[in-house]
Amino acid sequence: MSQVQLASYFASYSDILSLCEETKRRIGKNFDLKAFHEEFLSFGNAPVPIIRELMLARLQEENQDQRQNLVRNKVQVIYKLSVAKIVKGILRLPIESA
């Protein structure tokens, strides 16, 4: 193995380690090293910078989906509470006889 190969391997190793740390930081306590490796290896022999972009883009999409689901759930709760208040108010109205 030549010095150039060693430098290339070390640069890739550093990039992969950096990606792993970034992924850990973004995912937090739910980070799974095995899942990280499986996803990383699923890209085959693509260059590490390309894999990094793709993996971080996927994380960004997942975060946006989670935020949208959270907002959607809050809206549903508010809607249900509003409907419940309206129904409760209607049920309290006196019944008018004709």
Side-chain angles (χ1 to χ4, degrees):
M1 185 176 290
S2 71
Q3 291 178 346
V4 173
Q5 287 174 313
L6 286 173
S8 177
Y9 281 119
F10 182 75
S12 295
Y13 167 78
S14 297
D15 291 345
I16 294 168
L17 191 58
S18 171
L19 174 59
C20 185
E21 292 300 318
E22 175 70 15
T23 304
K24 274 185 200 177
R25 187 184 65 73
R26 289 189 182 196
I27 294 177
K29 64 181 179 181
N30 294 328
F31 176 76
D32 180 7
L33 185 60
K34 182 178 180 182
F36 170 82
H37 284 291
E38 287 176 0
E39 182 178 2
F40 186 88
L41 294 174
S42 73
F43 291 101
N45 62 353
V48 176
I50 301 299
I51 295 173
R52 179 185 184 85
E53 285 182 35
L54 294 171
M55 289 181 70
L56 293 178
R58 182 195 56 80
L59 283 176
Q60 184 69 24
E61 287 175 15
E62 285 179 1
N63 287 340
Q64 287 176 348
D65 289 344
Q66 288 173 353
R67 282 193 294 264
Q68 288 174 350
N69 287 337
L70 182 62
V71 169
R72 187 177 303 116
N73 290 341
K74 286 182 180 181
V75 168
Q76 288 174 350
V77 168
I78 292 169
Y79 174 76
K80 288 177 183 178
L81 290 173
S82 298
V83 169
K85 282 184 176 182
I86 292 169
V87 169
K88 189 175 181 181
I90 291 172
L91 293 177
R92 287 188 181 169
L93 292 176
I95 299 174
E96 295 180 18
S97 56

